[in-house]
Amino acid sequence: MPELPDLLYIQKYLKKEVEGRTIVGVAMKQPVVVRVAMDQPLEQAVANKTIEKVEIHGQFIRFELSSSTDLVINLMLAGRLQHQSSTDKQEGYLCVSFLLDDNSRLNLCDENKMAKVYVVKPGEYGIIPKYSGQGIDVLSTGFTLEQFTLLAKQHSRRQVRVFINDHTALRAIGNAYADEILFEAQIHPKTFVRTLKEDDLRRLYSSIRKVMAWGIKNVEEAGQPIHVKVRDHMRVRNRKGEPCPRCGTTIRREGV
């Protein structure tokens, strides 16, 4: 799934390239991914409406359209969002395509057909699972050491990797960055939160902030199209069998 650095990069790109554009057509290939909370099919619900703002909310990408309409996309595990110009090749496994007034397309592609597109009235997010249950934004001023320590106490019976992966506690940290955060903090992923000492929690908190900033910088600098998942900078994620960048020992993979 796209994680916080990916989502921020996607948002920045979309704000530059599609804000102010009008949706003039829709091609729906996989209706199973669409949920419309209006008395209209998708095509009519978004037709001739302008993308006024693009925001992220946890793992969700929200397009604020004109005429009091929100288009919300959850890419889930394998979904990809492609902004296709008139000269670009369309990515495979197309589910839904939105034609914009500059003749470009915003394509949602997912070989598993798990991604979801929701069309709702602003503020009426009840049909969107987990939208309203997002945890704290780890980039916000509210994400303090004190707040993190309180959250850790509330999740004390869980393994630490499960805790930091829980989006009802911390927003948009997925598997890849959870691995990198725990490697940076030098904490085993199966460690129970209740066993972490004050120094461990302080180190873990600092690692979350440091690794997120590092990820944001690397994704930004890679400059890839938004449908490309940037993971080349990872130090331990998907590095099974390679030497550890810290001590040289062979990296192994273990299920959590």
Side-chain angles (χ1 to χ4, degrees):
M1 60 165 282
E3 302 187 33
L4 187 55
D6 311 306
L7 290 162
L8 288 172
Y9 179 73
I10 291 170
Q11 180 196 26
K12 182 177 180 180
Y13 175 90
L14 293 175
K15 287 183 76 67
K16 178 182 177 183
E17 299 294 335
V18 308
E19 274 192 3
R21 293 294 175 192
T22 299
I23 298 172
V24 297
V26 179
M28 183 159 53
K29 302 295 185 181
Q30 299 293 342
V32 70
V33 308
V34 175
R35 305 284 188 274
V36 181
M38 294 182 178
D39 296 326
Q40 296 176 306
L42 174 66
E43 295 89 339
Q44 293 180 24
V46 302
N48 300 313
K49 294 186 178 179
T50 300
I51 300 171
E52 296 183 339
K53 186 184 294 185
V54 181
E55 294 184 338
I56 60 169
H57 179 74
Q59 71 267 36
F60 300 93
I61 304 169
R62 184 175 73 87
F63 298 82
E64 184 178 308
L65 307 183
S66 56
S67 302
S68 298
T69 303
D70 277 1
L71 176 71
V72 180
I73 295 177
N74 185 356
L75 295 174
M76 300 292 285
L77 185 64
R80 293 167 294 132
L81 198 60
Q82 178 196 20
H83 184 218
Q84 179 191 7
S85 72
S86 58
T87 59
D88 290 337
K89 180 181 178 182
Q90 178 188 291
E91 289 295 300
Y93 305 103
L94 180 68
C95 295
V96 184
S97 179
F98 299 92
L99 176 63
L100 305 181
D101 60 0
D102 64 349
N103 208 34
S104 68
R105 291 181 178 271
L106 202 57
N107 300 328
L108 175 62
C109 305
D110 187 354
E111 59 183 304
N112 298 325
K113 293 179 282 190
M114 291 174 61
K116 291 291 180 288
V117 176
Y118 303 92
V119 182
V120 300
K121 291 291 184 183
E124 298 181 4
Y125 304 121
I127 72 162
I128 307 178
K130 301 181 179 180
Y131 188 92
S132 299
Q134 294 293 309
I136 193 167
D137 179 354
V138 298
L139 299 181
S140 70
T141 55
F143 183 58
T144 62
L145 177 59
E146 292 73 23
Q147 182 64 32
F148 179 67
T149 302
L150 179 60
L151 282 170
K153 289 179 180 178
Q154 295 170 355
H155 294 264
S156 62
R157 296 186 178 183
R158 310 178 84 178
Q159 293 178 352
V160 65
R161 192 181 188 281
V162 176
F163 163 47
I164 66 173
N165 260 160
D166 185 347
H167 292 173
T168 66
L170 305 171
R171 291 188 194 179
I173 297 176
N175 291 319
Y177 284 96
D179 286 348
E180 296 297 323
I181 287 165
L182 292 171
F183 175 73
E184 176 66 27
Q186 300 185 55
I187 297 174
H188 193 283
K190 289 190 175 182
T191 304
F192 282 94
V193 176
R194 66 175 179 266
T195 68
L196 296 175
K197 306 299 182 186
E198 186 177 334
D199 285 348
D200 296 326
L201 288 171
R202 184 180 294 107
R203 195 166 65 252
L204 181 56
Y205 168 79
S206 296
S207 295
I208 291 172
R209 300 197 71 116
K210 180 178 179 180
V211 169
M212 286 295 103
W214 167 77
I216 290 166
K217 178 176 181 290
N218 277 274
V219 172
E220 176 78 23
E221 289 179 349
Q224 292 292 320
I226 58 173
H227 60 270
V228 175
K229 185 185 290 185
V230 177
R231 292 292 183 268
D232 291 346
H233 57 291
M234 294 286 162
R235 296 170 295 179
V236 290
R237 178 68 177 176
N238 292 330
R239 301 290 187 186
K240 178 184 176 183
E242 298 181 21
C244 168
R246 181 179 291 128
C247 68
T249 304
T250 301
I251 296 172
R252 65 184 177 87
R253 179 184 295 132
E254 186 171 346
V256 177

